[in-house]
């Protein structure tokens, strides 16, 4: 297995003047630009007295300069601490302090809401957008930052040469990233990931969805989350793929415009995005063409046309759609299989950097989340039929949670397997089926295990259901539903929607898990960046 920083070094030498990091319709940086910034940062560290292994927090919206800052920190063997820009200022302060970060890269708007006195280890705050020093605690650090260009000119009077690059690779077991989980349980934990874990994820990615130098990709997932950071940025960029960043969450029109212009080879997204594409484009088209289904062999032609139009909408060069973070609705999954969309729905978590399960669409078993990336076992006497906790191990797995011995003690079994907290089964071919989260499982009065996620999957196919959360209310199963109701629906029909949903769903549910009540909610459920519903808010 090759170290990902050595791959980055080789790519920089080979593609010195090629675009590496770009903002869509904005700034563009070549690999030479990135290499210079990495060297400037090394010189800053030296003059400021900041050594390797120091922690540095990054809290700003996605942009090319955010990505370049990550490489500055990561290549120089400091520990990157990506924080979501959407975190509350008190959360940003708490996590910056908890991570022992000595430098915070952020933007002016975020910094104005923070108090450096609550982060006593912090030495400096730097604006990601333009490199300006926002604040410093020590004159030595401020001077080192402001004078880094002069130091560069002194050490590299003829400029930086690609031949002189030498990036570290003897650090497999060293800490590279502390990534705080956004928390479906409400308690962020600092997941520690090594250089070896990142290299392992890149190795697997290259084996299963390789890329080519000169290709392009659109980044739309938050890089403060491992899914976006590892799969949408690190893996392609170290192989010579040009990354285009959209910044804040784009509107559908902006996203499709970017896809048309950039023509990405791969689309990395969450199921919700593709479900919207299905609902707004694919489903209406298929319904209009229903009459063709009666003509022999016409279905295949229709599906081929739909597939071609969908890929064309994303720029026409897409070889694979990678969806993760949540299950795909069964109706959508069935359609994608029929039209032969080149996709996969993976299974992962921050602690796995982030991949646990994967399968390519021709071999993908609907309802599953693929086969194990490394090793997975089910803590059950009958793993094929009785759900148990999914446990995993491999070089991609976390080494633990930062400064959290209680969480570390609970996270690993005595023989070294990581406890995912997910309940599932594995079939004879190794396909993983997630049944739900241990913490969300409902135990009814008869001792029957009920998995809310399975009921929610049924609800997703019911009329007017946009999304749902199933909860236990005083021993009764209650479905909270955020509906999708047409504006022209009459009052009587509207009033009957909850009961219609309940009756429809219960037809497909076993007696022990039938829904007692459906309650409509007015706002979409709050979600984590990977679009998982924050269940703890709705208990």
């Amino acid at each position: 297995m090759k170290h990902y920083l050595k791959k980055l070094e080789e790519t920089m030498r080979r593609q010195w003047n090629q675009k590496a990091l770009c903002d869509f319709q904005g700034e563009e940086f070549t690999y030479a630009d990135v290499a210079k910034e990495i060297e400037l940062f090394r010189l800053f560290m030296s003059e400021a007295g900041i050594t390797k292994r120091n922690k540095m927090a990054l809290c700003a919206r996605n942009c090319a300069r955010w990505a370049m800052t990550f490489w500055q920190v990561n290549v120089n063997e400091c520990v990157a601490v990506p924080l979501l820009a959407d975190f509350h200022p008190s959360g940003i302060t708490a996590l910056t302090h908890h991570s022992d970060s000595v430098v915070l890269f952020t933007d002016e708007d975020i910094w104005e809401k923070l108090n450096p006195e609550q982060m006593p280890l912090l030495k400096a705050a730097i604006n990601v957008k333009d490199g300006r020093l926002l604040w410093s605690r020590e004159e030595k650090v401020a001077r080192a930052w402001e004078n880094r260009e002069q130091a560069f000119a002194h050490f590299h009077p003829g400029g930086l040469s690609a031949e002189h690059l030498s990036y570290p690779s003897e650090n497999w077991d060293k800490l590279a990233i502390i990534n705080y989980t956004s928390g479906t349980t409400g308690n962020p934990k600092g997941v520690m990931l090594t250089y070896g874990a990142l290299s392992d994820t890149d190795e697997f990615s290259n084996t299963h969805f390789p890329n080519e130098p000169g290709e392009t990709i659109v980044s739309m997932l938050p890089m403060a989350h491992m899914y976006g950071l590892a799969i949408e940025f690190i893996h392609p960029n170290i192989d010579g793929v040009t990354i285009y960043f959209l910044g804040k969450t784009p509107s559908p029109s902006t996203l499709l415009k970017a896809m048309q212009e950039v023509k990405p080879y791969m689309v990395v997204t969450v199921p919700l995005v593709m479900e919207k594409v299905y609902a707004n484009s694919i489903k209406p088209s298929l319904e209009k063409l229903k009459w063709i289904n009666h003509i022999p062999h016409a279905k295949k032609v229709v599906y081929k046309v739909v597939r071609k139009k969908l890929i064309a909408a994303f720029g026409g060069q897409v070889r694979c759609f990678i969806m993760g973070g949540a299950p795909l609705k069964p109706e959508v999954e069935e359609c994608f299989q029929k039209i032969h969309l080149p996709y996969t729905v993976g299974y992962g978590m921050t602690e796995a950097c982030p991949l646990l399960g994967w399968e390519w669409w021709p071999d993908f078993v609907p309802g599953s989340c693929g086969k194990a990336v490394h090793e997975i076992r089910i803590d059950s006497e009958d793993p094929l039929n009785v759900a148990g906790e999914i446990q995993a191990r491999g070089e991609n797995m976390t080494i633990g949670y930062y400064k959290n011995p209680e969480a570390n003690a609970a996270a690993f079994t005595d023989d070294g397997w990581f406890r995912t907290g997910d309940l599932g089964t594995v079939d004879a071919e190794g396909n993983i089926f997630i049944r739900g989260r241990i913490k969300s499982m409902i135990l009814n009065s008869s001792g029957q295990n009920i998995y809310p996620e399975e009921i929610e999957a049924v609800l997703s196919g019911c009329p007017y259901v946009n999304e749902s959360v199933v909860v236990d209310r005083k021993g009764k199963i209650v479905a909270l539903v955020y509906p999708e109701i047409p504006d022209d629906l009459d009052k009587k029909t509207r009033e009957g929607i909850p009961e219609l949903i309940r009756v429809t769903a219960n037809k497909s549910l076993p007696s022990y898990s039938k829904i007692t009540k459906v309650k409509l909610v007015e706002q979409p459920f709050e979600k984590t960046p990977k679009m998982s519903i924050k269940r703890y808010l709705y208990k």
Side-chain angles (χ1 to χ4, degrees), residues 57-60 83-97 103-119 122 124-126 134-135 137:
L58 290 81
C59 184
L83 301 175
L84 285 164
D86 291 329
F87 278 156
H88 189 275
S90 62
I92 296 170
T93 299
L95 296 180
T96 300
H97 177 60
V103 177
L104 170 62
F105 293 91
T106 186
D107 62 41
E108 205 160 15
D109 291 339
I110 294 174
W111 178 249
E112 286 177 354
K113 300 169 186 172
L114 307 182
N115 181 359
E117 296 309 311
Q118 296 175 346
M119 300 174 280
L122 199 65
I126 297 167
L134 295 169
W135 171 89
R137 195 181 300 275

Side-chain angles (χ1 to χ4, degrees), residues 359 365 371 384 426-431:
E359 185 59 89
V365 176
K371 296 182 176 68
L384 272 69
V426 176
D427 68 15
E429 285 71 45
N431 296 295

Side-chain angles (χ1 to χ4, degrees), residues 45-58:
M45 287 173 55
S46 177
E47 292 297 314
I50 296 173
T51 59
K52 296 177 182 179
R53 316 301 172 215
N54 270 275
K55 284 77 177 178
M56 300 193 179
L58 290 81

